[in-house]
Amino acid sequence: MIKVYMYKNKKAASVFCKDVIADIVKNNPTAAIGFATGSTFIDTYSNLVEDFNKNKTDWSNIRTFNLDEYFNAKKDSPFGYRYFMDEQLFSHVNLQEKNIHFPNSFNTTEVDLKKYDDQIFNGHLSLQLLGVGRNGHIAFNEPGTTIDSTTHIVDLAKSTIEDNARLFFNGNESLVPKKAISMGISNIMSAKKILLAAWGESKQEAVKNLLEVGEATSNCPVTFLKKHHDVIVILDEIAFSLVDQNNVDYQIVEINKKF
Ligand code: GLP
């Protein structure tokens, strides 16, 4: 089932995202949570930091698993996703270092990939956060990735390199790493609950493919979420605006407006 919550703007939507995550942290203090990088969750993460400071929410036994990491990103490489997570959230709450998990992105071997799979599957994700690429990628699972994929090395799609250059590298594509390590679709699908957030025009096509009638297809990996039993999709009005409401797959999709 896909439950859509549509908000006027990303600010309001990000408060709701924070509430979903904070509830899990409070109610299940040893939960494993899959985190996502990218611009989508920046407001959510700052809301979580505020919640931590205000309510002393305890993260000390929460375990984290990030979706992906660029090739050869060190813990302190400013372009890396570990660095991003530290800056936005991890270093501002009382997470323990030993509970933070990323795939090894240095001279990565099959053993490393398998190790991350085992950690994720044995960790039992209570929640997986997801952004979506404009081409429908989730994590770095670009079009063509299959539903049974596990943690793997990825060549990034051109549109992903362009988007990430614009958002995080001052538009300089040559600085964007061209390879990454990513959880596969099966790792993501193993989470008990999935929260996908999308704002703005560049996400319209992916959101339409997810919510309208149509097969789950590796041409647009986000559509695999149609096969998951507990997905929350949090949108702003713009991301939703291409969806033809007469063609929504109401067998699996429920739409809630939260203005
Ligand atoms: C990036 C990341 C994804 C992220 C997505 C959307 O390439 N690998 O994990 O969710 O693309 O990014 P953004 O949130 O900046 O739009």
Side-chain angles (χ1 to χ4, degrees), residues 36-40 67-68 81 130-133 137 139-140 160 164 167-168 203:
T37 48
S39 53
T40 301
L67 282 173
D68 41 21
Y81 282 171
L130 284 182
V132 58
H137 76 222
F140 274 135
T160 304
N164 289 2
L167 291 166
F168 297 106
K203 310 299 170 81

Side-chain angles (χ1 to χ4, degrees), residues 1 3 5 16 20 193-197 230-234:
M1 188 75 199
K3 289 191 177 163
Y5 296 91
F16 184 62
V20 173
K193 186 189 266 303
I194 294 176
L195 183 163
L196 178 130
D230 188 2
V231 182
I232 303 182
V233 175
I234 303 172

Side-chain angles (χ1 to χ4, degrees), residues 79-137:
F79 67 86
Y81 282 171
R82 172 62 204 264
Y83 185 92
F84 176 95
M85 289 309 305
D86 283 348
E87 288 278 290
Q88 303 296 330
L89 176 65
F90 289 174
S91 66
H92 303 290
V93 297
N94 64 335
L95 269 175
Q96 293 194 65
E97 179 65 35
K98 69 175 172 72
N99 291 335
I100 298 174
H101 302 87
F102 274 78
N104 173 33
S105 68
F106 273 92
N107 303 319
T108 312
T109 64
E110 285 298 321
V111 174
D112 293 318
L113 301 175
K114 173 80 173 50
K115 182 178 165 204
Y116 203 51
D117 283 336
D118 289 344
Q119 287 177 320
I120 293 162
F121 291 131
N122 296 333
H124 301 289
L125 296 169
S126 294
L127 177 71
Q128 176 62 60
L129 306 182
L130 284 182
V132 58
R134 93 164 99 129
N135 62 359
H137 76 222

Side-chain angles (χ1 to χ4, degrees), residues 21-83:
I21 302 164
D23 274 356
I24 289 186
V25 174
K26 284 167 192 160
N27 295 323
N28 183 358
T30 61
I33 301 179
F35 281 92
T37 48
S39 53
T40 301
F41 286 107
I42 289 179
D43 288 352
T44 299
Y45 294 159
S46 88
N47 292 338
L48 283 169
V49 173
E50 199 182 303
D51 166 79
F52 171 77
N53 289 330
K54 212 156 70 194
N55 304 318
K56 299 281 162 280
T57 306
D58 183 16
W59 290 70
S60 61
N61 291 308
I62 293 293
R63 296 164 293 134
T64 74
F65 293 86
N66 261 78
L67 282 173
D68 41 21
E69 180 56 286
Y70 285 126
F71 236 41
N72 295 338
K74 291 191 193 137
K75 208 175 144 189
D76 57 353
S77 307
F79 67 86
Y81 282 171
R82 172 62 204 264
Y83 185 92

Side-chain angles (χ1 to χ4, degrees), residues 24 30 65 81 87 141 153 159 202 218 223 237:
I24 289 186
T30 61
F65 293 86
Y81 282 171
E87 288 278 290
N141 293 291
I153 297 172
S159 64
S202 64
S218 63
T223 59
E237 260 189 309

Side-chain angles (χ1 to χ4, degrees), residues 4 6 203-214 226 235 237-251 253-255 257:
V4 179
M6 209 209 323
K203 310 299 170 81
Q204 288 171 337
E205 199 67 41
V207 169
K208 183 178 170 72
N209 288 336
L210 173 62
L211 302 183
E212 289 190 14
V213 174
K226 288 171 186 274
L235 303 173
E237 260 189 309
I238 300 170
F240 184 77
S241 57
L242 266 196
V243 173
D244 173 358
Q245 295 198 49
N246 295 318
N247 196 32
V248 166
D249 191 346
Y250 288 108
Q251 300 229 23
V253 175
E254 174 190 295
I255 295 177
K257 290 197 182 175

